[in-house]
Amino acid sequence: MDELLAAALQVRENAFAPYSNFRVGAALEDESGRVHTGCNVENSTYGLTVCAERVAVFKAISEGARRFRRIAVAAGAATPTPPCGACRQILWEFCGDIEVVLVNLKGETKSYRMSELFPRPFDDSFLR
Ligand code: THU
């Protein structure tokens, strides 16, 4: 299996998801080939939960990475699970039109571009 998908499946094991029991892993590849991983981290207030994708992006940014090639997202649902709306906004901000590969526990995959998942985004172009 593609190493990026394997990394997303592996980090999913670290998910802190006692409230939803829905575990998610993400693996973000930067331009140098380095992989930044993240899992969902839930909170008893529910609303402070952070998704796997945002954990991966923020970890990468805080390590100094700035350009990215693709992200893999692993979850246990029958249908490969796409990023939520909040994560799409964050992914667009930092990663632009990258490839998003979704994988489930059966190894079934679906691949999209961010521009398919998040058409007509709000971004910094409106602030100029
Ligand atoms: N979740 C993610 O981590 N990524 C997604 O793309 C969808 C949802 C998490 C948030 C929460 O911990 C759990 O999955 C159920 O919504």
Side-chain angles (χ1 to χ4, degrees), residues 16-17 20-25 39-43 49-54 73 75 81-84 87:
F16 179 75
S20 72
N21 288 313
F22 190 75
R23 296 149 81 82
V24 186
C39 62
N40 54 331
V41 182
E42 297 189 344
N43 188 272
T49 290
V50 186
C51 294
E53 295 91 325
R54 270 175 287 159
V73 181
T81 303
C84 78
C87 288

Side-chain angles (χ1 to χ4, degrees), residues 32-81:
S32 73
R34 184 173 167 195
V35 173
H36 307 267
T37 58
C39 62
N40 54 331
V41 182
E42 297 189 344
N43 188 272
S44 54
T45 63
Y46 296 3
L48 290 178
T49 290
V50 186
C51 294
E53 295 91 325
R54 270 175 287 159
V55 171
V57 169
F58 294 151
K59 280 176 65 187
I61 294 298
S62 71
E63 291 299 311
R66 286 294 182 273
R67 295 177 67 83
F68 302 97
R69 292 180 185 152
R70 54 193 186 123
I71 187 169
V73 181
T79 305
T81 303

Side-chain angles (χ1 to χ4, degrees), residues 67-119:
R67 295 177 67 83
F68 302 97
R69 292 180 185 152
R70 54 193 186 123
I71 187 169
V73 181
T79 305
T81 303
C84 78
C87 288
R88 291 178 201 205
Q89 180 71 40
I90 296 295
L91 285 165
W92 186 261
E93 177 83 23
F94 292 107
C95 308
D97 195 14
I98 59 167
E99 184 186 10
V100 180
V101 188
L102 314 175
V103 61
N104 66 13
L105 302 187
K106 292 187 213 156
E108 295 167 336
T109 61
K110 284 238 172 217
S111 188
Y112 301 95
R113 308 282 319 174
M114 270 303 294
S115 52
E116 288 177 76
L117 295 175
F118 198 51

